[in-house]
Amino acid sequence: MSAHDSNSFDPTPEDRFSFGLWTVGNPGRDPFGPSVRPTMDPNHIVRQLAAIGAWGVNLHDNDLIPFDASASERDRIVKEFKATVADTGMTVPMCTTNLFSHPIFKDGAFTANDPKVRAFALQKTMTAIDLGAELGAKIYVFWGGREGSEADACRDPRAAWQRMREAMDFLCGYVKDRDYGMKFALEAKPNEPRGDIYLPTTGHMLHFISTLEHEDMVGVNPEVAHEVMAGLSFAHNVAQALACDKLFHIDLNGQKIGRYDQDLRFGSEDQKGAFLLVRLLEGTLGGKPYDGPRHFDAHAYRTEDEAGVWEFAKGCMRTYKILAQRAAAFDADAEVKQLIAEQEDRELDPLLSGGYTVQKAAALKGLDVDVDAVASRGLGYERLDQLLVEYLLGVRS
Ligand code: GCO
Ligand code: MN
Ligand code: MN
């Protein structure tokens, strides 16, 4: 099969593509209008996802079990859902808690000023972690949707940070005590629904994690839209997480800079950013590829009916695979390789890596650098970037 055969972009379980129940199940409600699509039954979602070649389905506790369900209702729902997941050969790689919809969370959950809210948030999360464990999830995501403020005078932001740490340390203890073998993935977002959310970027999260008691079991779940909302390079954020072995999960979608959280189909905006991201995740430039789930946290346009939703989901996976193929071709191109290699002067490596020694300091101080020659050299990045654009536009392969 040629690399251009459209079938080669069909998803397979090895691709580890996953969707949340809340993503394809999004009925199109927004602040200006109600649902435009009927609510889909979770079991129907799982069957459809399996039919289009997805591998995993993720959920918040309340995507599956209504907030006020009785114990017997809960057990019936979970039993049926588990059977559907098993029948379709799907998996539940990740679960999370809805700590933002119910009015009790209007001032946050783990960071709320009212201790009863914080206690309820821990109670709800432990119950949701139990559900995740029952469904076989090995990754547990924390997105602090309402962990923020508008009236900033309401609390010392250091207290919010401290409360968040205490909650994470407590819940890590719970998972260890129960032997669930789960890892936590923390998801940053700069704002929306709160005016400002604490821990607004992946970089903030990475530092926060280094202050936790069980730092080894906590990583990040960066989302394209969230870093782009903050005006940042998503690939750079992901690269830092990968370099620290902290990329435990990822939320893929599309976003225009400077907007509200759009959650668009993956690759539908900023194709260059998406190309650089997939190149990094797939390791086509070299380096260890990302081996976790490729999760799409996005939803279909409000213009769509159910058929449009499945087109949206297929589009996310197909574009990811197209970009993976484009990135592999780009990095295999001899001219690209040469342009990148030209920037590398291996000779100085021993002086530049491996830490400080007295000898290296002396050698560096004595080094004769022809400053003018180095400064006047063109770097060839125009040609390199044009080649990237040509691969992206499909005129070079
Ligand atoms: C958002 C977030 C959420 C989270 C989800 C999983 O902006 O609404 O991206 O979709 O990813 O709650 O924790
Ligand atoms: Mn997300
Ligand atoms: Mn989001």
Side-chain angles (χ1 to χ4, degrees), residues 117-382:
V117 176
R118 302 206 297 274
F120 181 68
L122 286 174
Q123 178 196 94
K124 189 173 196 288
T125 305
M126 285 188 286
T127 307
I129 287 175
D130 295 341
L131 169 68
E134 188 175 347
L135 296 173
K138 290 291 171 210
I139 302 160
Y140 205 85
V141 163
F142 289 85
W143 171 62
R146 301 240 182 231
E147 312 287 12
S149 62
E150 294 81 28
D152 244 324
C154 74
R155 75 190 130 246
D156 183 333
R158 287 171 296 190
W161 195 79
Q162 188 57 33
R163 288 171 188 167
M164 192 66 109
R165 281 182 61 197
E166 275 166 9
M168 287 304 125
D169 285 347
F170 182 90
L171 292 166
C172 282
Y174 180 72
V175 164
K176 278 176 114 61
D177 192 30
R178 293 280 175 126
D179 241 344
Y180 283 155
M182 262 177 197
K183 288 186 162 195
F184 290 176
L186 312 188
E187 178 176 347
K189 187 175 182 180
N191 59 275
E192 196 199 319
R194 298 312 296 270
D196 286 285
I197 298 180
Y198 303 121
L199 299 163
T201 70
T202 297
H204 289 85
M205 281 302 181
L206 286 170
H207 168 262
F208 172 73
I209 291 166
S210 74
T211 71
L212 298 177
E213 193 184 341
H214 302 290
E215 151 182 23
D216 52 312
M217 61 182 279
V218 188
V220 290
N221 176 40
E223 172 168 320
V224 176
H226 299 179
E227 308 292 332
V228 173
M229 284 166 77
L232 302 175
S233 155
F234 188 61
H236 288 192
N237 280 272
V238 169
Q240 187 173 349
L242 274 171
C244 311
D245 282 328
K246 287 295 185 193
L247 189 67
F248 289 2
H249 199 261
I250 193 161
D251 277 3
L252 302 168
N253 56 20
Q255 174 76 22
K256 284 192 192 199
I257 203 160
R259 308 280 167 98
Y260 64 95
D261 188 13
Q262 293 177 298
D263 289 336
L264 300 167
R265 190 178 73 256
F266 179 63
S268 62
E269 295 292 336
D270 184 18
Q271 284 84 16
K272 191 174 181 180
F275 173 96
L276 291 167
L277 170 66
V278 173
R279 181 190 195 216
L280 186 65
L281 295 176
E282 297 299 310
T284 61
L285 173 62
K288 203 167 122 212
Y290 165 67
D291 61 5
R294 271 80 173 157
H295 173 240
F296 299 103
D297 186 11
H299 51 76
Y301 301 134
R302 197 165 181 271
T303 50
E304 301 310 290
D305 59 6
E306 189 181 330
V309 169
W310 303 118
E311 280 309 310
F312 145 84
K314 285 191 263 182
C316 287
M317 298 187 284
R318 185 172 168 83
T319 301
Y320 186 99
K321 294 198 75 161
I322 294 170
L323 289 170
Q325 189 251 31
R326 296 283 75 203
F330 175 73
D331 282 316
D333 186 305
E335 191 180 349
V336 169
K337 281 184 199 278
Q338 195 201 344
L339 279 162
I340 296 172
E342 271 175 12
Q343 308 308 324
E344 289 181 11
D345 185 349
R346 298 259 85 117
E347 219 177 289
L348 291 173
D349 276 6
L351 281 183
L352 294 173
S353 54
Y356 175 84
T357 65
V358 177
Q359 292 76 11
K360 279 198 231 171
L364 279 166
K365 279 190 166 173
L367 196 67
D368 187 16
V369 178
D370 185 343
V371 171
D372 291 334
V374 175
S376 63
R377 189 170 157 248
L379 298 185
Y381 292 166
E382 281 290 355

Side-chain angles (χ1 to χ4, degrees), residues 22-96:
W22 72 94
T23 64
V24 284
N26 182 298
R29 215 172 14 245
D30 73 12
F32 303 94
S35 301
V36 292
R37 295 183 283 267
T39 304
M40 279 194 257
D41 175 73
N43 298 284
H44 172 69
I45 293 179
V46 174
R47 282 190 287 271
Q48 289 301 310
L49 285 176
I52 62 170
W55 157 84
V57 60
N58 303 318
L59 52 109
H60 300 86
D61 48 355
N62 301 135
D63 297 340
L64 184 63
I65 304 163
F67 186 88
D68 45 13
S70 67
S72 61
E73 212 181 323
R74 181 240 180 242
D75 291 348
R76 182 191 58 73
I77 293 170
V78 174
K79 193 172 164 209
E80 186 188 352
F81 187 74
K82 277 168 82 175
T84 309
V85 170
D87 282 356
T88 52
M90 293 280 282
T91 175
V92 181
M94 177 275 257
C95 282
T96 182

